[in-house]
C-alpha cells in the first residue's frame, strides 16, 4: 500500500521550487494533491505532470494573503477530494526586497507580513477548522520556515522576522490542537537550489554573472555538506514529517540545512 494512498494533501506555493517537489513526492506516494499558487499556468502544469504519472491532483488559484481566497481553497479541496489530511503552508513572497532594516518602506513591510506570516495564519485557521469538523477528526499541518527565522540576516530583516513568526504560530497551534489529533510542525530550510534562490543571487549580484557565481560558491562554502540542497531533499523531509512514521512528533522546528546552523544550535 502506498504511504499516502486515499490521503488528501493541500500545498500552497505548489507551482514551482520546493512546493512543486513536495507535490510530486506526495502524489508519488498515492496522495490526492491540491496545489495552490498565484501563477495559474505553472500550477496547472504541475497538475498535468502528476496526472501524466497516474496521480490525482487539482489546482486552485489563491493569494494566501486574502482570507476569502484561502477559505475557498480549502472548500474546493474538500469538495473535490472529500476531506483534508495534510496541509503544507509553503507560499512565500517571491519578490523579496534586499535592504537595510531602516530602509524598508511600510508597503514592503506590509506585503512581507501579509504573505509570509498572515498568509500562514489564514491557511492554518481554515485548515484547522476543516480538520476539526471532519470525521475522523485530525490531520497534519507543516509550515515552511527558514533558518533565517532562527536568528537574523543582514538586508533581509523582514523575511527573517516573518519566518520567526511562523515558528511561533506553529508551536502555539501544536499545543492547542494536539488533543484533537492535529499535529503541527515547521520545516526549517537552509539554502536550496530553487528558482527563487537564483533570483535572489541575481539581484544581489546586480546582473553580474561572475559575481553571482562567486556568491553561490561562497554560500556553498559555508555549508558543512558543501552544497545547496535539492528541492527533492526538502520534499523527502516533508513527507516523512507528515507520515505515520512521525506520529509522535508535533511542535518541532525540523531543520534541514546541510549543517549550516549546527554550530549555533
Amino acid at each position: 500500500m502506498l504511504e499516502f494512498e486515499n490521503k488528501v494533501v493541500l500545498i500552497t506555493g505548489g507551482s514551482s521550487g520546493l512546493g512543486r517537489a513536495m507535490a510530486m513526492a506526495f502524489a508519488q506516494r498515492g496522495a490526492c494533491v491540491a496545489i495552490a499558487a498565484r501563477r495559474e499556468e505553472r500550477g496547472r502544469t504541475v497538475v498535468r505532470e502528476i496526472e501524466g504519472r497516474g496521480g490525482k491532483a487539482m489546482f486552485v488559484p489563491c493569494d494566501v494573503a486574502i482570507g476569502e481566497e484561502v477559505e475557498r481553497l480549502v472548500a474546493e479541496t474538500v469538495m473535490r477530494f472529500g476531506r483534508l489530511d495534510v496541509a503544507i503552508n509553503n507560499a512565500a513572497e517571491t519578490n523579496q526586497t534586499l535592504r537595510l532594516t531602516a530602509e524598508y518602506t511600510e508597503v514592503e513591510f506590509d506585503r512581507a507580513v501579509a504573505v509570509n506570516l498572515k498568509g500562514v495564519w489564514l491557511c492554518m485557521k481554515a485548515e484547522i477548522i476543516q480538520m476539526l469538523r471532519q470525521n475522523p477528526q485530525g490531520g497534519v499541518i507543516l509550515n515552511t520556515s527558514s533558518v533565517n527565522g532562527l536568528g537574523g540576516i543582514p538586508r533581509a530583516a523582514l523575511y527573517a522576522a516573518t519566518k520567526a513568526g511562523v515558528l511561533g504560530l506553529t508551536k502555539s497551534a501544536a499545543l492547542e490542537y494536539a488533543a484533537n489529533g492535529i499535529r503541527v510542525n515547521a520545516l526549517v530550510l537552509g539554502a536550496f537550489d530553487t528558482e527563487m534562490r537564483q533570483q535572489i543571487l541575481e539581484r544581489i549580484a546586480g546582473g553580474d554573472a561572475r559575481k553571482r557565481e562567486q556568491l553561490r560558491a561562497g554560500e556553498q562554502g559555508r555549508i558543512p555538506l558543501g552544497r545547496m540542497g535539492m528541492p527533492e531533499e526538502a520534499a523527502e523531509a516533508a513527507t516523512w514529517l507528515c507520515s505515520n512514521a512521525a506520529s509522535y512528533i508535533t511542535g518541532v522546528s525540523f531543520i534541514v540545512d546541510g549543517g549550516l546552523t549546527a554550530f549555533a544550535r
Side-chain angles (χ1 to χ4, degrees):
M1 181 176 177
L2 295 173
E3 194 173 4
F4 288 93
E5 190 170 14
N6 299 321
K7 299 292 185 181
V8 180
V9 179
L10 168 62
I11 302 174
T12 67
S15 64
S16 63
L18 298 170
R20 175 191 174 279
M22 292 177 192
M24 301 301 290
F26 277 102
Q28 186 178 18
R29 290 162 171 78
C32 300
V33 181
I35 296 166
R38 285 176 289 178
R39 295 180 291 185
E40 185 166 349
E41 183 50 43
R42 297 189 72 160
R44 296 196 184 281
T45 297
V46 177
V47 169
R48 287 193 292 269
E49 287 183 78
I50 291 173
E51 292 176 338
R53 299 181 187 186
K56 296 179 181 179
M58 65 180 289
F59 174 77
V60 180
C62 180
D63 183 339
V64 298
I66 301 173
E68 292 83 356
E69 293 195 16
V70 172
E71 291 173 3
R72 177 174 56 82
L73 165 64
V74 173
E76 290 191 18
T77 298
V78 175
M79 186 180 300
R80 169 77 179 275
F81 293 129
R83 58 181 286 116
L84 179 62
D85 297 293
V86 176
I88 313 288
N89 298 317
N90 174 69
E93 177 58 55
T94 57
N95 296 317
Q96 297 171 39
T97 306
L98 303 174
R99 302 191 197 282
L100 296 176
T101 300
E103 294 175 352
Y104 282 106
T105 67
E106 286 189 58
V107 171
E108 290 166 338
F109 178 92
D110 289 343
R111 184 57 186 170
V113 171
V115 177
N116 295 349
L117 185 55
K118 178 187 173 185
V120 172
W121 171 72
L122 285 172
C123 288
M124 289 175 66
K125 178 181 174 69
E127 293 154 2
I128 289 169
I129 289 172
Q130 172 57 35
M131 290 177 177
L132 290 174
R133 69 159 61 112
Q134 63 194 15
N135 186 26
Q137 190 179 73
V140 182
I141 295 174
L142 184 63
N143 298 321
T144 301
S145 185
S146 165
V147 293
N148 295 328
L150 300 176
I153 181 170
R155 302 184 69 82
L158 301 187
Y159 184 75
T162 56
K163 289 302 183 179
V166 167
L167 299 181
L169 281 174
T170 297
K171 294 174 184 179
S172 299
L175 293 170
E176 292 168 346
Y177 296 102
N180 301 103
I182 300 175
R183 294 193 297 112
V184 190
N185 293 301
L187 189 62
V188 184
L189 300 178
F192 279 79
D193 196 3
T194 63
E195 180 183 336
M196 188 168 113
R197 195 77 187 179
Q198 294 306 318
Q199 290 173 349
I200 292 171
L201 291 175
E202 184 70 24
R203 285 202 296 273
I204 296 173
D208 185 324
R210 183 178 178 182
K211 185 177 181 181
R212 182 184 66 242
E213 290 308 309
Q214 289 175 337
L215 288 167
R216 182 182 175 88
E219 189 169 44
Q220 292 185 147
R222 292 189 293 273
I223 301 171
L225 287 182
R227 63 176 177 83
M228 290 188 185
M230 298 303 295
E232 292 74 17
E233 292 174 304
E236 288 294 325
T239 54
W240 181 77
L241 280 170
C242 295
S243 73
N244 288 334
S247 58
Y248 198 56
I249 297 175
T250 193
V252 306
S253 301
F254 193 87
I255 301 172
V256 184
D257 68 353
L260 178 64
T261 61
F263 77 95
R265 293 184 222 153

